[in-house]
Amino acid sequence: MHGLAVLLPNLGVTVRRLHDTGRSGWWCFIALIPLVGVIVLIVFPATEGNQAGDKYGPDPEYVPTARGPRPTARQTALRCPSAMCRRAPS
């Protein structure tokens, strides 16, 4: 039952990640090849995405902003790990 509930969201995330690496979503069907297909489907999404963007649009991690690149969640957490270090509203 759980497998059916997560099938479509998992497929959507996989296709989106394949698009980020410049590949078509049809590469999901390579998982139907025993053993080799699953390994390939693990390696493709693990590779770094195209920084310049592709026909599916720009990579959201590298979209330039007026203030510079956005900090990652890890960088934000390292800067202020607890609510105690936040400034009180003035």
Side-chain angles (χ1 to χ4, degrees):
M1 193 60 141
H2 177 267
L4 291 175
V6 298
L7 177 69
L8 287 177
N10 188 21
L11 183 63
V13 168
T14 304
V15 168
R16 185 174 194 161
R17 183 63 193 133
L18 287 170
H19 284 175
D20 286 344
T21 60
R23 293 176 178 86
S24 171
W26 290 103
W27 276 99
C28 287
F29 287 114
I30 200 165
L32 298 175
I33 300 172
L35 191 62
V36 175
V38 175
I39 292 171
V40 169
L41 201 56
I42 290 172
V43 171
F44 279 175
T47 58
E48 188 174 350
N50 298 334
Q51 294 180 6
D54 49 23
K55 68 179 182 178
Y56 303 107
D59 189 354
E61 187 174 320
Y62 297 103
V63 172
T65 61
R67 297 183 345 215
R70 295 181 303 195
T72 63
R74 179 171 168 74
Q75 291 170 335
T76 304
L78 291 175
R79 205 176 322 135
C80 184
S82 70
M84 295 178 66
C85 66
R86 295 192 185 117
R87 294 164 71 192
S90 33

